């Protein structure tokens, strides 16, 4: 049994993922499992972890826990513009704040992106303030000229 009712969910898959899974299902014939164990039943969690470690080793990557893939998914999804509420629901979390606190890590790319966005916002904001000040000073100057012309120099 899973920990919470939110743990039971249906997740959408990309067309590429569906294609890969269909090809794998064809390879295993009439098994009810897409990735059956050698005996035909479901794979044990330990077998999945050993397979992951072998793949990582062959790719020259460091060992990670299987659960670390959730962190990676959450961080990459947010980096690529998926909103936190969607990521949170895909992870089975009730609260998006929990997702942000637990599963995402600020990356250099995210920091650079934030700096770039703020770099375009802040100058525009400063220009608007300067423009408003300039307009108000110009308006005040014009009023003084009008008052001067009405009342003359005394």
């Amino acid at each position: 049994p899973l920990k919470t009712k939110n743990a039971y969910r249906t997740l959408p898959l990309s067309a590429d993922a569906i294609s890969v899974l269909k090809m794998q299902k064809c390879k295993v014939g009439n098994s009810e499992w897409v990735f059956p164990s050698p005996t035909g039943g479901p794979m044990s969690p330990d077998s999945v972890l050993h397979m992951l470690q072998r793949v990582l080793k062959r790719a020259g990557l460091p060992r990670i826990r299987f659960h670390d893939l959730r962190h990676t998914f959450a961080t990459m999804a947010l980096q690529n513009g998926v909103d936190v509420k969607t990521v949170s629901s895909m992870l089975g979390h009730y609260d998006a704040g929990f997702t942000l606190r637990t599963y995402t890590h600020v990356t250099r790319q995210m920091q650079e992106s934030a700096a770039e966005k703020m770099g375009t916002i802040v100058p525009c904001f400063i220009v608007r303030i300067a423009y408003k000040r300039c307009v108000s000073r110009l308006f005040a100057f014009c009023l003084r000229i009008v008052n001067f012309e009405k009342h003359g120099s005394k």
Side-chain angles (χ1 to χ4, degrees):
L2 299 175
K3 290 192 289 187
T4 66
K5 65 180 174 101
N6 284 343
Y8 293 92
R9 60 199 177 278
T10 301
L11 298 174
L13 297 173
S14 69
D16 287 343
I18 292 169
S19 176
V20 168
L21 291 171
K22 283 181 177 178
M23 286 189 296
Q24 175 61 26
K25 182 68 175 144
C26 288
K27 288 180 186 178
V28 298
N30 60 0
S31 172
E32 66 178 298
W33 306 103
V34 177
F35 298 98
S37 70
T39 61
M43 291 182 79
S44 73
D46 285 342
S47 295
V48 174
L49 183 59
H50 290 301
M51 288 175 67
L52 172 65
Q53 298 308 331
R54 277 198 317 265
V55 167
L56 291 170
K57 186 175 183 176
R58 284 182 193 150
L61 297 170
R63 290 177 63 94
I64 61 169
R65 300 169 302 147
F66 197 80
H67 189 79
D68 293 336
L69 297 174
R70 285 175 62 90
H71 295 262
T72 302
F73 166 79
T75 302
M76 290 181 74
L78 289 169
Q79 264 184 327
N80 287 285
V82 180
D83 66 280
V84 68
K85 191 76 175 151
T86 301
V87 173
S88 182
S89 70
M90 290 179 82
L91 292 171
H93 297 157
Y94 179 76
D95 175 37
F98 177 81
T99 304
L100 285 173
R101 288 187 305 276
T102 308
Y103 288 100
T104 59
H105 312 284
V106 176
T107 65
R108 182 79 182 148
Q109 182 183 355
M110 291 168 114
Q111 291 173 338
E112 288 170 0
S113 175
E116 193 69 32
K117 287 176 185 172
M118 292 309 293
T120 59
I121 293 169
V122 173
C124 291
F125 179 70
I126 290 170
V127 166
R128 267 191 242 125
I129 290 172
Y131 174 76
K132 285 179 182 177
R133 284 185 183 160
C134 183
V135 167
S136 65
R137 285 183 182 152
L138 181 61
F139 183 71
F141 178 72
C142 290
L143 282 178
R144 276 191 242 126
I145 290 173
V146 168
N147 279 338
F148 178 78
E149 288 177 355
K150 274 187 182 175
H151 304 292
S153 63
K154 293 184 182 176

PDB file of all heavy atoms in Angstrom, residues 134-153:
ATOM      1  N   CYS A 134      10.967  63.173 -14.179  1.00  0.00           N
ATOM      2  CA  CYS A 134      11.303  64.160 -15.192  1.00  0.00           C
ATOM      3  C   CYS A 134      10.041  64.887 -15.659  1.00  0.00           C
ATOM      4  O   CYS A 134      10.015  66.107 -15.774  1.00  0.00           O
ATOM      5  CB  CYS A 134      11.995  63.473 -16.370  1.00  0.00           C
ATOM      6  SG  CYS A 134      12.533  64.606 -17.657  1.00  0.00           S
ATOM      7  N   VAL A 135       8.982  64.115 -15.915  1.00  0.00           N
ATOM      8  CA  VAL A 135       7.719  64.711 -16.362  1.00  0.00           C
ATOM      9  C   VAL A 135       7.163  65.628 -15.286  1.00  0.00           C
ATOM     10  O   VAL A 135       6.720  66.746 -15.575  1.00  0.00           O
ATOM     11  CB  VAL A 135       6.700  63.602 -16.747  1.00  0.00           C
ATOM     12  CG1 VAL A 135       5.312  64.176 -16.915  1.00  0.00           C
ATOM     13  CG2 VAL A 135       7.148  62.915 -18.022  1.00  0.00           C
ATOM     14  N   SER A 136       7.202  65.178 -14.025  1.00  0.00           N
ATOM     15  CA  SER A 136       6.657  66.028 -12.961  1.00  0.00           C
ATOM     16  C   SER A 136       7.486  67.297 -12.796  1.00  0.00           C
ATOM     17  O   SER A 136       6.950  68.379 -12.568  1.00  0.00           O
ATOM     18  CB  SER A 136       6.545  65.260 -11.643  1.00  0.00           C
ATOM     19  OG  SER A 136       7.810  64.903 -11.173  1.00  0.00           O
ATOM     20  N   ARG A 137       8.805  67.211 -12.943  1.00  0.00           N
ATOM     21  CA  ARG A 137       9.653  68.409 -12.856  1.00  0.00           C
ATOM     22  C   ARG A 137       9.392  69.338 -14.045  1.00  0.00           C
ATOM     23  O   ARG A 137       9.347  70.552 -13.898  1.00  0.00           O
ATOM     24  CB  ARG A 137      11.125  68.013 -12.808  1.00  0.00           C
ATOM     25  CG  ARG A 137      11.531  67.450 -11.477  1.00  0.00           C
ATOM     26  CD  ARG A 137      12.994  67.123 -11.427  1.00  0.00           C
ATOM     27  NE  ARG A 137      13.330  66.542 -10.139  1.00  0.00           N
ATOM     28  CZ  ARG A 137      14.308  65.703  -9.943  1.00  0.00           C
ATOM     29  NH1 ARG A 137      15.081  65.352 -10.952  1.00  0.00           N
ATOM     30  NH2 ARG A 137      14.548  65.224  -8.749  1.00  0.00           N
ATOM     31  N   LEU A 138       9.247  68.738 -15.226  1.00  0.00           N
ATOM     32  CA  LEU A 138       8.953  69.532 -16.407  1.00  0.00           C
ATOM     33  C   LEU A 138       7.609  70.246 -16.244  1.00  0.00           C
ATOM     34  O   LEU A 138       7.474  71.426 -16.571  1.00  0.00           O
ATOM     35  CB  LEU A 138       8.940  68.636 -17.653  1.00  0.00           C
ATOM     36  CG  LEU A 138       8.664  69.314 -18.989  1.00  0.00           C
ATOM     37  CD1 LEU A 138       9.735  70.367 -19.284  1.00  0.00           C
ATOM     38  CD2 LEU A 138       8.611  68.296 -20.109  1.00  0.00           C
ATOM     39  N   PHE A 139       6.628  69.518 -15.702  1.00  0.00           N
ATOM     40  CA  PHE A 139       5.303  70.091 -15.470  1.00  0.00           C
ATOM     41  C   PHE A 139       5.398  71.256 -14.480  1.00  0.00           C
ATOM     42  O   PHE A 139       4.830  72.327 -14.710  1.00  0.00           O
ATOM     43  CB  PHE A 139       4.345  69.012 -14.952  1.00  0.00           C
ATOM     44  CG  PHE A 139       2.949  69.491 -14.757  1.00  0.00           C
ATOM     45  CD1 PHE A 139       2.148  69.775 -15.850  1.00  0.00           C
ATOM     46  CD2 PHE A 139       2.426  69.662 -13.482  1.00  0.00           C
ATOM     47  CE1 PHE A 139       0.851  70.224 -15.678  1.00  0.00           C
ATOM     48  CE2 PHE A 139       1.139  70.113 -13.303  1.00  0.00           C
ATOM     49  CZ  PHE A 139       0.341  70.392 -14.406  1.00  0.00           C
ATOM     50  N   ALA A 140       6.141  71.058 -13.398  1.00  0.00           N
ATOM     51  CA  ALA A 140       6.315  72.120 -12.404  1.00  0.00           C
ATOM     52  C   ALA A 140       7.026  73.315 -13.027  1.00  0.00           C
ATOM     53  O   ALA A 140       6.657  74.478 -12.769  1.00  0.00           O
ATOM     54  CB  ALA A 140       7.095  71.592 -11.206  1.00  0.00           C
ATOM     55  N   PHE A 141       8.025  73.074 -13.849  1.00  0.00           N
ATOM     56  CA  PHE A 141       8.751  74.151 -14.521  1.00  0.00           C
ATOM     57  C   PHE A 141       7.809  74.930 -15.434  1.00  0.00           C
ATOM     58  O   PHE A 141       7.816  76.158 -15.462  1.00  0.00           O
ATOM     59  CB  PHE A 141       9.927  73.558 -15.303  1.00  0.00           C
ATOM     60  CG  PHE A 141      10.709  74.572 -16.075  1.00  0.00           C
ATOM     61  CD1 PHE A 141      11.538  75.470 -15.403  1.00  0.00           C
ATOM     62  CD2 PHE A 141      10.616  74.637 -17.455  1.00  0.00           C
ATOM     63  CE1 PHE A 141      12.273  76.416 -16.110  1.00  0.00           C
ATOM     64  CE2 PHE A 141      11.339  75.578 -18.162  1.00  0.00           C
ATOM     65  CZ  PHE A 141      12.168  76.476 -17.488  1.00  0.00           C
ATOM     66  N   CYS A 142       6.984  74.198 -16.196  1.00  0.00           N
ATOM     67  CA  CYS A 142       6.022  74.852 -17.093  1.00  0.00           C
ATOM     68  C   CYS A 142       5.030  75.699 -16.304  1.00  0.00           C
ATOM     69  O   CYS A 142       4.660  76.800 -16.730  1.00  0.00           O
ATOM     70  CB  CYS A 142       5.277  73.819 -17.933  1.00  0.00           C
ATOM     71  SG  CYS A 142       6.327  73.036 -19.173  1.00  0.00           S
ATOM     72  N   LEU A 143       4.582  75.205 -15.154  1.00  0.00           N
ATOM     73  CA  LEU A 143       3.670  75.988 -14.308  1.00  0.00           C
ATOM     74  C   LEU A 143       4.339  77.280 -13.857  1.00  0.00           C
ATOM     75  O   LEU A 143       3.704  78.344 -13.831  1.00  0.00           O
ATOM     76  CB  LEU A 143       3.215  75.182 -13.092  1.00  0.00           C
ATOM     77  CG  LEU A 143       2.124  74.154 -13.334  1.00  0.00           C
ATOM     78  CD1 LEU A 143       1.826  73.404 -12.042  1.00  0.00           C
ATOM     79  CD2 LEU A 143       0.860  74.810 -13.850  1.00  0.00           C
ATOM     80  N   ARG A 144       5.602  77.188 -13.501  1.00  0.00           N
ATOM     81  CA  ARG A 144       6.328  78.398 -13.090  1.00  0.00           C
ATOM     82  C   ARG A 144       6.404  79.402 -14.245  1.00  0.00           C
ATOM     83  O   ARG A 144       6.227  80.601 -14.033  1.00  0.00           O
ATOM     84  CB  ARG A 144       7.724  78.033 -12.599  1.00  0.00           C
ATOM     85  CG  ARG A 144       7.720  77.611 -11.155  1.00  0.00           C
ATOM     86  CD  ARG A 144       9.130  77.512 -10.582  1.00  0.00           C
ATOM     87  NE  ARG A 144       9.300  76.115 -10.192  1.00  0.00           N
ATOM     88  CZ  ARG A 144      10.271  75.325 -10.573  1.00  0.00           C
ATOM     89  NH1 ARG A 144      11.248  75.780 -11.307  1.00  0.00           N
ATOM     90  NH2 ARG A 144      10.315  74.070 -10.190  1.00  0.00           N
ATOM     91  N   ILE A 145       6.655  78.895 -15.445  1.00  0.00           N
ATOM     92  CA  ILE A 145       6.722  79.790 -16.614  1.00  0.00           C
ATOM     93  C   ILE A 145       5.363  80.446 -16.837  1.00  0.00           C
ATOM     94  O   ILE A 145       5.274  81.657 -17.064  1.00  0.00           O
ATOM     95  CB  ILE A 145       7.176  79.017 -17.870  1.00  0.00           C
ATOM     96  CG1 ILE A 145       8.648  78.621 -17.726  1.00  0.00           C
ATOM     97  CG2 ILE A 145       6.949  79.835 -19.136  1.00  0.00           C
ATOM     98  CD1 ILE A 145       9.156  77.724 -18.827  1.00  0.00           C
ATOM     99  N   VAL A 146       4.298  79.639 -16.774  1.00  0.00           N
ATOM    100  CA  VAL A 146       2.946  80.176 -16.973  1.00  0.00           C
ATOM    101  C   VAL A 146       2.652  81.230 -15.904  1.00  0.00           C
ATOM    102  O   VAL A 146       2.139  82.320 -16.204  1.00  0.00           O
ATOM    103  CB  VAL A 146       1.896  79.046 -16.948  1.00  0.00           C
ATOM    104  CG1 VAL A 146       0.490  79.601 -16.858  1.00  0.00           C
ATOM    105  CG2 VAL A 146       2.057  78.171 -18.179  1.00  0.00           C
ATOM    106  N   ASN A 147       2.968  80.934 -14.631  1.00  0.00           N
ATOM    107  CA  ASN A 147       2.747  81.896 -13.553  1.00  0.00           C
ATOM    108  C   ASN A 147       3.571  83.153 -13.784  1.00  0.00           C
ATOM    109  O   ASN A 147       3.111  84.273 -13.540  1.00  0.00           O
ATOM    110  CB  ASN A 147       3.097  81.296 -12.190  1.00  0.00           C
ATOM    111  CG  ASN A 147       1.973  80.431 -11.653  1.00  0.00           C
ATOM    112  OD1 ASN A 147       0.823  80.601 -12.062  1.00  0.00           O
ATOM    113  ND2 ASN A 147       2.311  79.519 -10.766  1.00  0.00           N
ATOM    114  N   PHE A 148       4.794  82.985 -14.246  1.00  0.00           N
ATOM    115  CA  PHE A 148       5.674  84.122 -14.507  1.00  0.00           C
ATOM    116  C   PHE A 148       5.063  85.011 -15.591  1.00  0.00           C
ATOM    117  O   PHE A 148       5.032  86.224 -15.483  1.00  0.00           O
ATOM    118  CB  PHE A 148       7.059  83.637 -14.918  1.00  0.00           C
ATOM    119  CG  PHE A 148       8.012  84.740 -15.238  1.00  0.00           C
ATOM    120  CD1 PHE A 148       8.627  85.453 -14.213  1.00  0.00           C
ATOM    121  CD2 PHE A 148       8.280  85.081 -16.553  1.00  0.00           C
ATOM    122  CE1 PHE A 148       9.506  86.476 -14.497  1.00  0.00           C
ATOM    123  CE2 PHE A 148       9.156  86.116 -16.835  1.00  0.00           C
ATOM    124  CZ  PHE A 148       9.780  86.811 -15.819  1.00  0.00           C
ATOM    125  N   GLU A 149       4.536  84.366 -16.676  1.00  0.00           N
ATOM    126  CA  GLU A 149       3.955  85.130 -17.788  1.00  0.00           C
ATOM    127  C   GLU A 149       2.660  85.810 -17.348  1.00  0.00           C
ATOM    128  O   GLU A 149       2.370  86.916 -17.806  1.00  0.00           O
ATOM    129  CB  GLU A 149       3.713  84.215 -18.984  1.00  0.00           C
ATOM    130  CG  GLU A 149       5.018  83.803 -19.658  1.00  0.00           C
ATOM    131  CD  GLU A 149       4.814  82.838 -20.818  1.00  0.00           C
ATOM    132  OE1 GLU A 149       3.681  82.399 -21.075  1.00  0.00           O
ATOM    133  OE2 GLU A 149       5.826  82.504 -21.472  1.00  0.00           O
ATOM    134  N   LYS A 150       1.876  85.138 -16.501  1.00  0.00           N
ATOM    135  CA  LYS A 150       0.612  85.729 -16.041  1.00  0.00           C
ATOM    136  C   LYS A 150       0.876  86.931 -15.137  1.00  0.00           C
ATOM    137  O   LYS A 150       0.234  87.962 -15.246  1.00  0.00           O
ATOM    138  CB  LYS A 150      -0.202  84.706 -15.245  1.00  0.00           C
ATOM    139  CG  LYS A 150      -1.059  83.817 -16.048  1.00  0.00           C
ATOM    140  CD  LYS A 150      -1.914  83.007 -15.112  1.00  0.00           C
ATOM    141  CE  LYS A 150      -2.779  82.038 -15.841  1.00  0.00           C
ATOM    142  NZ  LYS A 150      -3.523  81.176 -14.921  1.00  0.00           N
ATOM    143  N   HIS A 151       1.781  86.755 -14.209  1.00  0.00           N
ATOM    144  CA  HIS A 151       1.983  87.745 -13.176  1.00  0.00           C
ATOM    145  C   HIS A 151       3.197  88.629 -13.438  1.00  0.00           C
ATOM    146  O   HIS A 151       3.416  89.601 -12.744  1.00  0.00           O
ATOM    147  CB  HIS A 151       2.112  87.076 -11.797  1.00  0.00           C
ATOM    148  CG  HIS A 151       0.934  86.205 -11.482  1.00  0.00           C
ATOM    149  ND1 HIS A 151      -0.305  86.712 -11.256  1.00  0.00           N
ATOM    150  CD2 HIS A 151       0.827  84.848 -11.363  1.00  0.00           C
ATOM    151  CE1 HIS A 151      -1.148  85.716 -11.006  1.00  0.00           C
ATOM    152  NE2 HIS A 151      -0.473  84.583 -11.082  1.00  0.00           N
ATOM    153  N   GLY A 152       3.990  88.273 -14.428  1.00  0.00           N
ATOM    154  CA  GLY A 152       5.178  89.030 -14.760  1.00  0.00           C
ATOM    155  C   GLY A 152       6.230  88.927 -13.691  1.00  0.00           C
ATOM    156  O   GLY A 152       6.043  88.301 -12.659  1.00  0.00           O
ATOM    157  N   SER A 153       7.319  89.578 -13.943  1.00  0.00           N
ATOM    158  CA  SER A 153       8.374  89.547 -12.944  1.00  0.00           C
ATOM    159  C   SER A 153       8.156  90.676 -11.974  1.00  0.00           C
ATOM    160  O   SER A 153       7.889  91.800 -12.371  1.00  0.00           O
ATOM    161  CB  SER A 153       9.766  89.660 -13.593  1.00  0.00           C
ATOM    162  OG  SER A 153       9.870  90.897 -14.237  1.00  0.00           O
TER     163      SER A 153
END
